[in-house]
């Protein structure tokens, strides 16, 4: 009897799928991103500390030349499995401009865990001037600021290839299979053995791209593990509690039907 | 179900001076009679109320950490996500809470549409509900601007620009809304102030909504009046227990999204800080606005498009007078039921159209769906009441229950006044 209402509501529920499907498909212009298996996927997913440490190395040795990471502080690197001394050591490798001091002068000092990753350029104009007019975006949120972020970053970094015959590349751009419009200002950043991994992992382009994507997912969503762990507890509680509420409802209603 | 009784001396002392307990008992307790045949479709009113409470509580906590300034808004949201204890949880609850609030309210509205809950004597109750929907939309729109991401900025720009369609005064109105000559810091500041204010106005209208509800009580799946005490049960404990269970189910679904797909209903572009010089490839509103956005864009003329968009809600205001059928429940209206399903499909189609650029088949589909939306309310509903032959109504709520559901043997007989 109520079929009409339920069909209607089921159709309404389907609207929830619209925003995810619509813009995602539009942004990629029909290009399918290769889907990697990430350790942080799924309800029990966690970050892979080794992958993140390798990813940090790629960021520091390659990406950081042009891209900032302004929402990540050195203290946050404890999430990657570094202990306090290691975090201090990494921070100290950076030079931070501080001040003004009592004389009113800005001064430079080694980084501390409370400092954030320094910006690669003093300002946006300088960034644009050094990169042919295109400002390299900050990478802190990149893995969430693109549809299917980690797979997109990985695909983009491995997607440099020769343009197909007849494709006109604009001056100062490079062909990339996954970049919207295929013309990207960033030259190919990763090359075979571009970094020498501290843990001895072979530094293939694919490996480095996957590692830095993993690291950037952490940078964008550092509370992912806490979120998923909390979620399991909350859901178990809610399912049990709702079961109790259902039993209570049945008991209260038993003389009505 | 008579007067409020208690043995507690403390409660008696307070009750004598301020009858708050008998008031509550009358509002949501054993002193409020409800139809005994309400289905789970009647859970969504109280769920909407709970969603509102969740939004206000998380919103106030977020407001303690948020900075309403174009230079700091995006950073302050990231600070909430990274450095504030459980800030990520608060923000994800608030962000997805808006979507769930709309899901619940849309189901609530479609339930009302199907069972004719807007018909006499509940017209004011329905109209107050439409006011709440409008206030929710304004609140949600302004809230989406606050993180000051790309979609925040460009969404604000597109929507406020709609008012430029007003003849003569259009540009002045937009400048006045912006507090300047573009969407900028004054816009963000006033949106924040209003986003904080409006939920409390919603609370006030919800109070009126419930007040109007209590005058005649809930409608019910049969859409017929209560005939006597055998048709009624006290709200407490029956519907408090049922609503509590419904709330549990709601929270399970809500938690599943908050913890495992918190950005599913969002747009990736809003994790890019607002940039007035870079227009996103596709500016799309949040999913709950997509059908209205589709109506707006399906009409080539800007002013008529804006009128049609607001008209799609305005038509709900006069719905009680458009639907001419005296039968409330769609269960007894065979043709209405078909059109109800078509309307639901139509709204979903409009949602898909709204998510896609207004070109080619999407544009034409949007125009047909927009036409159908208004046709449904302005032509089909008034005519249905004249031409549709409704099925016979049961004489009372208890009757079909006693006879094992829906046997219409006594339907033609006179109503049995048992009480």
């Amino acid at each position: 009897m109520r079929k009409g209402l339920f069909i209607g509501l089921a159709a309404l529920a389907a609207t929830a799928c619209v925003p995810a499907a619509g813009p995602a498909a539009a942004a990629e212009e029909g290009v399918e991103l290769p889907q990697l298996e990430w350790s942080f996927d799924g309800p029990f997913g966690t970050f892979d500390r080794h992958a993140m440490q390798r990813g940090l190395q790629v960021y520091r040795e390659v990406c950081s030349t042009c891209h900032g990471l302004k929402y990540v502080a050195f203290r946050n690197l404890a999430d990657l499995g570094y202990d306090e001394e290691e975090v201090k050591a990494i921070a100290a490798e950076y030079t931070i401009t501080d001040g003004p001091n009592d004389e009113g002068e800005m001064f430079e000092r080694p980084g501390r865990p409370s400092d954030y990753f320094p910006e690669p350029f003093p300002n946006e104009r300088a960034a644009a001037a050094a990169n042919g007019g295109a400002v390299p975006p900050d990478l802190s949120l990149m893995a969430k600021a693109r549809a299917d972020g980690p797979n997109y970053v990985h695909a983009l970094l491995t997607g440099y290839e020769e343009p197909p015959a007849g494709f006109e590349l604009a001056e100062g751009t490079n062909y990339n299979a996954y970049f919207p419009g295929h013309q990207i200002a960033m030259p190919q950043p990763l090359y075979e053995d571009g970094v020498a991994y501290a843990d001895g992992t072979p530094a293939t382009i694919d490996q480095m791209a996957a590692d830095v994507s993993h690291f950037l997912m952490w940078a964008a969503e550092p509370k992912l593990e806490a979120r998923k762990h909390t979620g399991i507890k909350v859901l178990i509680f809610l399912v049990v509690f709702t079961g109790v509420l259902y039993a209570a409802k049945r008991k209260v209603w038993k003389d009505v039907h | 179900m008579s007067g409020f009784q208690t043995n507690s001396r403390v409660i008696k002392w307070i009750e004598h001076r301020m009858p708050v307990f008998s008031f509550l008992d009358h509002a949501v307790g054993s002193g409020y009679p409800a139809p005994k045949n309400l289905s789970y479709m009647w859970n969504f009113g109280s769920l909407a109320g709970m969603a509102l409470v969740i939004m206000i509580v998380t919103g106030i906590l977020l407001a303690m950490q948020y900075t309403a300034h174009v230079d700091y808004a995006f950073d302050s949201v990231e600070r909430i996500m990274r450095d504030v204890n459980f800030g990520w949880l608060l923000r994800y609850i608030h962000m997805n809470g808006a979507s769930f609030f709309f899901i619940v309210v849309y189901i609530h509205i479609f339930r009302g549409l199907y069972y004719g809950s807007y018909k006499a004597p509940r017209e004011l109750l329905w109209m107050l509900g439409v006011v709440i929907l409008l206030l929710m939309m304004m609140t949600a729109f302004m809230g989406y601007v606050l993180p000051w991401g790309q979609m925040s900025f460009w969404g604000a720009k597109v929507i406020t620009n709609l008012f430029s369609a007003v003849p003569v005064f259009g540009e002045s109105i937009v400048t006045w809304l912006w507090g300047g000559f573009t969407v900028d810091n004054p816009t963000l500041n006033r949106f924040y102030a209003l986003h904080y204010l409006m939920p409390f106005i919603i609370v006030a209208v919800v109070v009126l909504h419930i007040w109007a509800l209590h005058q005649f009580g809930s409608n019910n799946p049969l859409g017929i009046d209560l005939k006597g005490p055998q048709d009624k049960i006290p709200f407490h404990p029956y519907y408090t227990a049922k609503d509590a269970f419904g709330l549990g189910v709601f929270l399970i679904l809500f938690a599943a999204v908050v913890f495992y797909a918190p950005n599913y209903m969002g747009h990736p572009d809003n994790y890019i800080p607002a940039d007035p010089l870079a227009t996103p490839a596709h500016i799309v509103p949040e999913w709950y606005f997509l059908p209205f956005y589709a109506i707006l864009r399906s009409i080539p003329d800007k002013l008529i498009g804006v009128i049609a968009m607001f008209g799609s809600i305005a038509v709900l205001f006069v719905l009680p007078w458009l639907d001419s059928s005296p039968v409330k429940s769609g269960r007894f209206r065979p043709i209405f039921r078909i059109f109800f399903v078509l309307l639901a499909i139509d709204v979903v189609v409009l949602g898909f159209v709204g998510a896609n650029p207004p070109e080619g088949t999407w544009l034409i589909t949007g125009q047909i769906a927009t036409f159908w939306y208004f046709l449904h309310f302005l032509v089909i509903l008034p005519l249905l009441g004249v031409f549709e032959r409704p099925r016979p109504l049961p004489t009372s709520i208890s009757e079909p229950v006693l006879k094992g559901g829906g046997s219409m043997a006594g339907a033609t007989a006179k109503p049995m006044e048992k009480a």
Side-chain angles (χ1 to χ4, degrees), chain A residues 122-160:
Chain A
N123 54 58
E124 215 167 75
R125 291 284 181 83
N131 292 283
V135 180
D138 189 89
L139 296 183
S140 310
L141 283 161
M142 193 50 75
K144 286 202 294 190
R146 298 290 182 275
D148 196 11
N151 286 318
Y152 173 77
V153 174
H154 169 265
L156 185 90
L157 292 175
T158 55
Y160 285 88

Side-chain angles (χ1 to χ4, degrees), chain A residues 186-207:
Chain A
M186 173 168 74
Q188 178 172 348
L190 297 177
Y191 288 94
E192 208 76 12
D193 295 317
V195 300
Y197 274 136
D199 64 2
T201 306
T204 62
I205 292 178
D206 193 71
Q207 180 71 41

